[in-house]
Amino acid sequence: MLDHLSIQCADIGASAAFYDRVLATIGGQRIMDFGDTIGYGVPPMPDFWIGPQTTGHGFRESHIAFSAPDRAGVDEFFEAAREAGAEVLHRPRLWPEYHPDYYGGFVRDPDGNNVEAVCHLSE
């Protein structure tokens, strides 16, 4: 249903370094740069964008869940984020309250957003 998602970042350089690193672990990459705005995804089209904060006042947390190809991808995403200094919200684990095969790990990005890698497949 979603075509793309864009978030505003207080420090575009810090956010770009974070997303360059963590999205690579699940097959994502930087695809387009338009000045301060960067598009990520799986080629040929970006579906996740970051850009400088230009509207609104203060911070409103977003939750962003990225699809990992397998549970190992969730673990790699989580470790890359942790090594990049992200605050750990929830270490990767099964979340049976969502469904029996929901495996996800959660961190905060440089702007404080709740960022997750998730795999819905059984082992």
Side-chain angles (χ1 to χ4, degrees), residues 36-90:
D36 289 353
T37 303
I38 302 166
Y40 293 91
V42 176
M45 296 298 295
D47 51 20
F48 175 67
W49 293 83
I50 62 172
Q53 184 170 3
T54 58
T55 61
H57 300 286
F59 173 71
R60 294 183 311 249
E61 178 181 336
S62 294
H63 174 66
I64 306 161
F66 294 100
S67 180
D70 51 33
R71 291 180 184 187
V74 172
D75 295 338
E76 291 173 28
F77 179 100
F78 179 84
E79 284 306 314
R82 194 184 58 72
E83 289 170 5
E87 175 189 348
V88 171
L89 297 176
H90 301 286

Short mmCIF file of all heavy atoms in Angstrom, two decimals, residues 36-90:
data_model
loop_
_atom_site.label_atom_id
_atom_site.label_comp_id
_atom_site.label_asym_id
_atom_site.label_seq_id
_atom_site.Cartn_x
_atom_site.Cartn_y
_atom_site.Cartn_z
N ASP A 36 20.04 17.99 0.11
CA ASP A 36 19.97 17.49 1.48
C ASP A 36 19.00 16.32 1.66
O ASP A 36 18.84 15.83 2.76
CB ASP A 36 19.51 18.61 2.43
CG ASP A 36 20.56 19.68 2.62
OD1 ASP A 36 21.69 19.49 2.14
OD2 ASP A 36 20.25 20.69 3.25
N THR A 37 18.34 15.89 0.62
CA THR A 37 17.35 14.82 0.70
C THR A 37 17.91 13.55 0.08
O THR A 37 18.47 13.59 -1.02
CB THR A 37 16.05 15.25 -0.01
OG1 THR A 37 15.59 16.47 0.57
CG2 THR A 37 14.98 14.19 0.13
N ILE A 38 17.77 12.43 0.79
CA ILE A 38 18.38 11.17 0.37
C ILE A 38 17.31 10.09 0.32
O ILE A 38 16.53 9.94 1.27
CB ILE A 38 19.50 10.76 1.35
CG1 ILE A 38 20.57 11.85 1.42
CG2 ILE A 38 20.11 9.41 0.94
CD1 ILE A 38 21.53 11.69 2.58
N GLY A 39 17.30 9.34 -0.77
CA GLY A 39 16.35 8.25 -0.95
C GLY A 39 17.04 6.89 -0.84
O GLY A 39 18.08 6.67 -1.46
N TYR A 40 16.45 6.00 -0.04
CA TYR A 40 16.98 4.66 0.19
C TYR A 40 15.98 3.63 -0.30
O TYR A 40 14.78 3.88 -0.36
CB TYR A 40 17.20 4.40 1.68
CG TYR A 40 18.29 5.23 2.30
CD1 TYR A 40 18.02 6.46 2.86
CD2 TYR A 40 19.60 4.76 2.33
CE1 TYR A 40 19.01 7.23 3.44
CE2 TYR A 40 20.61 5.51 2.91
CZ TYR A 40 20.31 6.75 3.46
OH TYR A 40 21.31 7.49 4.03
N GLY A 41 16.48 2.44 -0.58
CA GLY A 41 15.61 1.33 -0.95
C GLY A 41 16.38 0.25 -1.65
O GLY A 41 17.60 0.14 -1.52
N VAL A 42 15.65 -0.54 -2.41
CA VAL A 42 16.22 -1.57 -3.26
C VAL A 42 16.05 -1.06 -4.68
O VAL A 42 14.94 -0.73 -5.08
CB VAL A 42 15.49 -2.92 -3.05
CG1 VAL A 42 16.02 -3.97 -4.00
CG2 VAL A 42 15.63 -3.37 -1.60
N PRO A 43 17.15 -0.94 -5.45
CA PRO A 43 17.04 -0.37 -6.80
C PRO A 43 15.94 -1.05 -7.62
O PRO A 43 15.68 -2.23 -7.41
CB PRO A 43 18.43 -0.65 -7.41
CG PRO A 43 19.33 -0.74 -6.22
CD PRO A 43 18.50 -1.37 -5.14
N PRO A 44 15.26 -0.30 -8.46
CA PRO A 44 15.68 1.00 -8.95
C PRO A 44 15.05 2.20 -8.22
O PRO A 44 15.47 3.31 -8.42
CB PRO A 44 15.18 0.98 -10.41
CG PRO A 44 13.91 0.19 -10.34
CD PRO A 44 14.17 -0.87 -9.28
N MET A 45 14.02 1.98 -7.38
CA MET A 45 13.30 3.11 -6.79
C MET A 45 13.47 3.17 -5.28
O MET A 45 13.31 2.16 -4.60
CB MET A 45 11.80 3.00 -7.11
CG MET A 45 11.47 3.09 -8.59
SD MET A 45 11.95 4.67 -9.31
CE MET A 45 10.87 5.78 -8.43
N PRO A 46 13.72 4.37 -4.76
CA PRO A 46 13.75 4.53 -3.30
C PRO A 46 12.34 4.53 -2.74
O PRO A 46 11.40 4.99 -3.38
CB PRO A 46 14.42 5.88 -3.11
CG PRO A 46 14.16 6.62 -4.37
CD PRO A 46 14.04 5.60 -5.46
N ASP A 47 12.20 4.00 -1.51
CA ASP A 47 10.90 4.03 -0.85
C ASP A 47 10.98 4.63 0.54
O ASP A 47 9.97 4.84 1.19
CB ASP A 47 10.24 2.65 -0.82
CG ASP A 47 11.14 1.56 -0.28
OD1 ASP A 47 12.12 1.87 0.43
OD2 ASP A 47 10.86 0.39 -0.55
N PHE A 48 12.19 4.94 0.99
CA PHE A 48 12.39 5.58 2.29
C PHE A 48 13.30 6.78 2.08
O PHE A 48 14.38 6.66 1.51
CB PHE A 48 13.01 4.60 3.29
CG PHE A 48 13.35 5.21 4.62
CD1 PHE A 48 12.35 5.66 5.46
CD2 PHE A 48 14.67 5.36 5.02
CE1 PHE A 48 12.66 6.25 6.68
CE2 PHE A 48 14.98 5.94 6.23
CZ PHE A 48 13.98 6.39 7.07
N TRP A 49 12.83 7.95 2.53
CA TRP A 49 13.56 9.19 2.32
C TRP A 49 13.86 9.89 3.64
O TRP A 49 13.04 9.85 4.57
CB TRP A 49 12.72 10.14 1.47
CG TRP A 49 12.51 9.68 0.07
CD1 TRP A 49 11.57 8.79 -0.37
CD2 TRP A 49 13.26 10.06 -1.07
NE1 TRP A 49 11.70 8.60 -1.72
CE2 TRP A 49 12.73 9.38 -2.18
CE3 TRP A 49 14.34 10.92 -1.27
CZ2 TRP A 49 13.22 9.53 -3.47
CZ3 TRP A 49 14.83 11.08 -2.56
CH2 TRP A 49 14.28 10.39 -3.63
N ILE A 50 15.01 10.54 3.70
CA ILE A 50 15.33 11.40 4.83
C ILE A 50 15.69 12.78 4.28
O ILE A 50 16.23 12.90 3.18
CB ILE A 50 16.48 10.85 5.71
CG1 ILE A 50 17.80 10.74 4.93
CG2 ILE A 50 16.09 9.50 6.30
CD1 ILE A 50 19.00 10.39 5.81
N GLY A 51 15.36 13.80 5.05
CA GLY A 51 15.67 15.16 4.65
C GLY A 51 15.75 16.05 5.88
O GLY A 51 15.42 15.62 6.99
N PRO A 52 16.17 17.29 5.70
CA PRO A 52 16.28 18.20 6.84
C PRO A 52 14.91 18.60 7.38
O PRO A 52 13.93 18.62 6.64
CB PRO A 52 17.02 19.40 6.27
CG PRO A 52 16.73 19.36 4.81
CD PRO A 52 16.57 17.91 4.44
N GLN A 53 14.87 18.90 8.67
CA GLN A 53 13.62 19.36 9.28
C GLN A 53 13.33 20.76 8.78
O GLN A 53 14.12 21.68 8.99
CB GLN A 53 13.70 19.34 10.79
CG GLN A 53 12.38 19.71 11.42
CD GLN A 53 12.35 19.48 12.93
OE1 GLN A 53 13.33 19.07 13.51
NE2 GLN A 53 11.22 19.74 13.51
N THR A 54 12.21 20.91 8.09
CA THR A 54 11.84 22.21 7.53
C THR A 54 10.47 22.69 8.01
O THR A 54 10.12 23.84 7.78
CB THR A 54 11.82 22.15 5.98
OG1 THR A 54 10.90 21.14 5.58
CG2 THR A 54 13.21 21.85 5.43
N THR A 55 9.70 21.81 8.63
CA THR A 55 8.37 22.20 9.10
C THR A 55 8.17 21.67 10.51
O THR A 55 8.86 20.76 10.96
CB THR A 55 7.25 21.64 8.20
OG1 THR A 55 7.32 20.21 8.22
CG2 THR A 55 7.39 22.14 6.78
N GLY A 56 7.20 22.23 11.19
CA GLY A 56 6.84 21.77 12.53
C GLY A 56 7.82 22.24 13.58
O GLY A 56 8.92 22.70 13.28
N HIS A 57 7.38 22.14 14.80
CA HIS A 57 8.20 22.55 15.93
C HIS A 57 8.30 21.38 16.90
O HIS A 57 7.31 20.70 17.17
CB HIS A 57 7.58 23.76 16.65
CG HIS A 57 7.46 24.94 15.75
ND1 HIS A 57 8.53 25.71 15.37
CD2 HIS A 57 6.38 25.47 15.13
CE1 HIS A 57 8.12 26.67 14.56
NE2 HIS A 57 6.80 26.55 14.40
N GLY A 58 9.49 21.15 17.40
CA GLY A 58 9.67 20.07 18.35
C GLY A 58 9.74 18.72 17.66
O GLY A 58 9.76 18.60 16.44
N PHE A 59 9.75 17.69 18.47
CA PHE A 59 9.93 16.32 17.99
C PHE A 59 8.66 15.52 18.17
O PHE A 59 8.01 15.60 19.22
CB PHE A 59 11.07 15.65 18.76
CG PHE A 59 11.22 14.19 18.45
CD1 PHE A 59 11.70 13.77 17.24
CD2 PHE A 59 10.85 13.23 19.39
CE1 PHE A 59 11.84 12.43 16.94
CE2 PHE A 59 10.98 11.89 19.11
CZ PHE A 59 11.47 11.48 17.88
N ARG A 60 8.29 14.77 17.15
CA ARG A 60 7.19 13.82 17.24
C ARG A 60 7.74 12.47 16.79
O ARG A 60 8.11 12.29 15.63
CB ARG A 60 6.03 14.25 16.34
CG ARG A 60 5.38 15.53 16.80
CD ARG A 60 4.17 15.88 15.93
NE ARG A 60 4.48 15.82 14.52
CZ ARG A 60 4.53 16.88 13.72
NH1 ARG A 60 4.31 18.07 14.19
NH2 ARG A 60 4.79 16.73 12.44
N GLU A 61 7.80 11.53 17.70
CA GLU A 61 8.37 10.22 17.40
C GLU A 61 7.58 9.48 16.32
O GLU A 61 6.35 9.48 16.32
CB GLU A 61 8.40 9.35 18.66
CG GLU A 61 8.94 7.97 18.41
CD GLU A 61 8.95 7.10 19.66
OE1 GLU A 61 8.98 7.66 20.78
OE2 GLU A 61 8.91 5.88 19.52
N SER A 62 8.32 8.86 15.41
CA SER A 62 7.73 7.97 14.41
C SER A 62 8.23 6.56 14.68
O SER A 62 9.30 6.36 15.24
CB SER A 62 8.16 8.38 13.00
OG SER A 62 7.64 9.63 12.67
N HIS A 63 7.45 5.59 14.27
CA HIS A 63 7.88 4.19 14.30
C HIS A 63 8.03 3.74 12.86
O HIS A 63 7.10 3.86 12.06
CB HIS A 63 6.88 3.29 15.03
CG HIS A 63 7.24 1.84 14.94
ND1 HIS A 63 8.36 1.33 15.52
CD2 HIS A 63 6.64 0.82 14.30
CE1 HIS A 63 8.44 0.03 15.26
NE2 HIS A 63 7.39 -0.30 14.50
N ILE A 64 9.23 3.23 12.53
CA ILE A 64 9.53 2.80 11.18
C ILE A 64 10.03 1.36 11.26
O ILE A 64 11.01 1.08 11.96
CB ILE A 64 10.61 3.69 10.54
CG1 ILE A 64 10.20 5.15 10.61
CG2 ILE A 64 10.88 3.25 9.10
CD1 ILE A 64 11.33 6.13 10.42
N ALA A 65 9.37 0.45 10.58
CA ALA A 65 9.77 -0.95 10.57
C ALA A 65 10.27 -1.32 9.18
O ALA A 65 9.54 -1.17 8.20
CB ALA A 65 8.61 -1.85 10.98
N PHE A 66 11.51 -1.80 9.12
CA PHE A 66 12.11 -2.24 7.87
C PHE A 66 12.06 -3.76 7.80
O PHE A 66 12.35 -4.45 8.77
CB PHE A 66 13.56 -1.77 7.77
CG PHE A 66 13.70 -0.28 7.69
CD1 PHE A 66 14.03 0.47 8.81
CD2 PHE A 66 13.48 0.38 6.48
CE1 PHE A 66 14.15 1.85 8.74
CE2 PHE A 66 13.59 1.76 6.40
CZ PHE A 66 13.93 2.50 7.52
N SER A 67 11.71 -4.26 6.63
CA SER A 67 11.59 -5.70 6.43
C SER A 67 12.97 -6.32 6.19
O SER A 67 13.71 -5.89 5.32
CB SER A 67 10.69 -5.96 5.22
OG SER A 67 10.55 -7.32 4.99
N ALA A 68 13.29 -7.32 6.98
CA ALA A 68 14.54 -8.07 6.81
C ALA A 68 14.23 -9.38 6.10
O ALA A 68 13.16 -9.96 6.30
CB ALA A 68 15.18 -8.34 8.17
N PRO A 69 15.17 -9.89 5.29
CA PRO A 69 14.90 -11.12 4.55
C PRO A 69 14.84 -12.36 5.43
O PRO A 69 14.24 -13.37 5.06
CB PRO A 69 16.07 -11.21 3.57
CG PRO A 69 17.16 -10.43 4.21
CD PRO A 69 16.48 -9.34 4.99
N ASP A 70 15.47 -12.29 6.61
CA ASP A 70 15.48 -13.42 7.53
C ASP A 70 15.84 -12.92 8.93
O ASP A 70 16.13 -11.74 9.12
CB ASP A 70 16.46 -14.51 7.06
CG ASP A 70 17.85 -13.97 6.75
OD1 ASP A 70 18.31 -13.02 7.42
OD2 ASP A 70 18.50 -14.52 5.83
N ARG A 71 15.83 -13.81 9.89
CA ARG A 71 16.12 -13.41 11.27
C ARG A 71 17.56 -12.96 11.43
O ARG A 71 17.84 -12.06 12.22
CB ARG A 71 15.79 -14.56 12.22
CG ARG A 71 14.28 -14.81 12.30
CD ARG A 71 13.95 -15.93 13.24
NE ARG A 71 12.50 -16.20 13.20
CZ ARG A 71 11.89 -17.01 14.01
NH1 ARG A 71 12.56 -17.68 14.94
NH2 ARG A 71 10.58 -17.20 13.92
N ALA A 72 18.47 -13.55 10.68
CA ALA A 72 19.87 -13.11 10.73
C ALA A 72 19.99 -11.66 10.29
O ALA A 72 20.79 -10.90 10.84
CB ALA A 72 20.75 -14.02 9.87
N GLY A 73 19.18 -11.26 9.32
CA GLY A 73 19.17 -9.87 8.88
C GLY A 73 18.71 -8.92 9.97
O GLY A 73 19.25 -7.83 10.12
N VAL A 74 17.72 -9.35 10.76
CA VAL A 74 17.27 -8.55 11.90
C VAL A 74 18.44 -8.38 12.88
O VAL A 74 18.72 -7.27 13.34
CB VAL A 74 16.06 -9.20 12.61
CG1 VAL A 74 15.74 -8.47 13.91
CG2 VAL A 74 14.85 -9.23 11.70
N ASP A 75 19.12 -9.47 13.17
CA ASP A 75 20.25 -9.43 14.11
C ASP A 75 21.36 -8.52 13.58
O ASP A 75 21.94 -7.73 14.34
CB ASP A 75 20.80 -10.83 14.36
CG ASP A 75 19.80 -11.74 15.06
OD1 ASP A 75 18.88 -11.24 15.73
OD2 ASP A 75 19.96 -12.98 14.94
N GLU A 76 21.67 -8.60 12.29
CA GLU A 76 22.73 -7.76 11.70
C GLU A 76 22.35 -6.29 11.73
O GLU A 76 23.17 -5.43 12.05
CB GLU A 76 23.01 -8.21 10.27
CG GLU A 76 23.68 -9.56 10.17
CD GLU A 76 23.79 -10.05 8.74
OE1 GLU A 76 23.86 -9.21 7.81
OE2 GLU A 76 23.80 -11.28 8.54
N PHE A 77 21.10 -5.98 11.39
CA PHE A 77 20.60 -4.61 11.44
C PHE A 77 20.74 -4.07 12.86
O PHE A 77 21.26 -2.97 13.07
CB PHE A 77 19.13 -4.61 11.02
CG PHE A 77 18.44 -3.27 11.05
CD1 PHE A 77 18.26 -2.55 9.89
CD2 PHE A 77 17.93 -2.76 12.24
CE1 PHE A 77 17.59 -1.32 9.90
CE2 PHE A 77 17.27 -1.55 12.27
CZ PHE A 77 17.10 -0.82 11.09
N PHE A 78 20.29 -4.85 13.82
CA PHE A 78 20.33 -4.43 15.22
C PHE A 78 21.77 -4.17 15.66
O PHE A 78 22.05 -3.14 16.29
CB PHE A 78 19.68 -5.50 16.10
CG PHE A 78 19.70 -5.15 17.56
CD1 PHE A 78 18.72 -4.34 18.10
CD2 PHE A 78 20.70 -5.63 18.39
CE1 PHE A 78 18.74 -4.00 19.44
CE2 PHE A 78 20.72 -5.30 19.73
CZ PHE A 78 19.74 -4.48 20.26
N GLU A 79 22.70 -5.08 15.35
CA GLU A 79 24.10 -4.90 15.76
C GLU A 79 24.73 -3.70 15.08
O GLU A 79 25.49 -2.96 15.71
CB GLU A 79 24.90 -6.18 15.49
CG GLU A 79 24.64 -7.27 16.50
CD GLU A 79 24.84 -6.83 17.95
OE1 GLU A 79 25.87 -6.18 18.26
OE2 GLU A 79 23.96 -7.12 18.78
N ALA A 80 24.44 -3.49 13.79
CA ALA A 80 24.98 -2.32 13.10
C ALA A 80 24.47 -1.03 13.75
O ALA A 80 25.23 -0.07 13.92
CB ALA A 80 24.61 -2.36 11.62
N ALA A 81 23.21 -1.00 14.10
CA ALA A 81 22.63 0.17 14.77
C ALA A 81 23.26 0.38 16.13
O ALA A 81 23.64 1.51 16.49
CB ALA A 81 21.12 0.01 14.90
N ARG A 82 23.41 -0.68 16.89
CA ARG A 82 24.01 -0.59 18.22
C ARG A 82 25.45 -0.09 18.12
O ARG A 82 25.87 0.80 18.86
CB ARG A 82 23.95 -1.94 18.92
CG ARG A 82 24.24 -1.89 20.41
CD ARG A 82 24.27 -3.28 21.02
NE ARG A 82 25.24 -4.17 20.39
CZ ARG A 82 26.56 -4.07 20.53
NH1 ARG A 82 27.08 -3.12 21.27
NH2 ARG A 82 27.37 -4.91 19.92
N GLU A 83 26.20 -0.65 17.17
CA GLU A 83 27.60 -0.23 16.97
C GLU A 83 27.69 1.22 16.52
O GLU A 83 28.69 1.90 16.77
CB GLU A 83 28.29 -1.15 15.97
CG GLU A 83 28.54 -2.54 16.53
CD GLU A 83 29.01 -3.53 15.47
OE1 GLU A 83 29.23 -3.14 14.30
OE2 GLU A 83 29.15 -4.72 15.83
N ALA A 84 26.65 1.72 15.86
CA ALA A 84 26.60 3.12 15.42
C ALA A 84 26.17 4.04 16.56
O ALA A 84 26.05 5.25 16.37
CB ALA A 84 25.65 3.27 14.24
N GLY A 85 25.93 3.48 17.75
CA GLY A 85 25.58 4.28 18.91
C GLY A 85 24.10 4.44 19.18
O GLY A 85 23.70 5.22 20.04
N ALA A 86 23.27 3.68 18.46
CA ALA A 86 21.83 3.78 18.67
C ALA A 86 21.43 3.28 20.05
O ALA A 86 21.99 2.31 20.55
CB ALA A 86 21.08 2.98 17.60
N GLU A 87 20.46 3.94 20.64
CA GLU A 87 19.88 3.48 21.89
C GLU A 87 19.09 2.21 21.63
O GLU A 87 18.29 2.14 20.69
CB GLU A 87 18.95 4.55 22.46
CG GLU A 87 18.21 4.12 23.71
CD GLU A 87 17.13 5.11 24.13
OE1 GLU A 87 17.09 6.25 23.60
OE2 GLU A 87 16.31 4.73 25.00
N VAL A 88 19.31 1.20 22.44
CA VAL A 88 18.59 -0.06 22.31
C VAL A 88 17.22 0.08 22.99
O VAL A 88 17.14 0.44 24.16
CB VAL A 88 19.38 -1.23 22.95
CG1 VAL A 88 18.55 -2.50 23.01
CG2 VAL A 88 20.69 -1.45 22.20
N LEU A 89 16.18 -0.22 22.24
CA LEU A 89 14.84 -0.25 22.82
C LEU A 89 14.45 -1.68 23.17
O LEU A 89 14.00 -1.94 24.28
CB LEU A 89 13.82 0.35 21.84
CG LEU A 89 14.03 1.83 21.51
CD1 LEU A 89 13.03 2.29 20.47
CD2 LEU A 89 13.92 2.67 22.77
N HIS A 90 14.61 -2.59 22.22
CA HIS A 90 14.32 -4.02 22.45
C HIS A 90 15.27 -4.84 21.60
O HIS A 90 15.29 -4.69 20.38
CB HIS A 90 12.88 -4.37 22.06
CG HIS A 90 11.85 -3.58 22.79
ND1 HIS A 90 11.53 -3.81 24.11
CD2 HIS A 90 11.06 -2.56 22.38
CE1 HIS A 90 10.60 -2.97 24.48
NE2 HIS A 90 10.29 -2.19 23.46
#
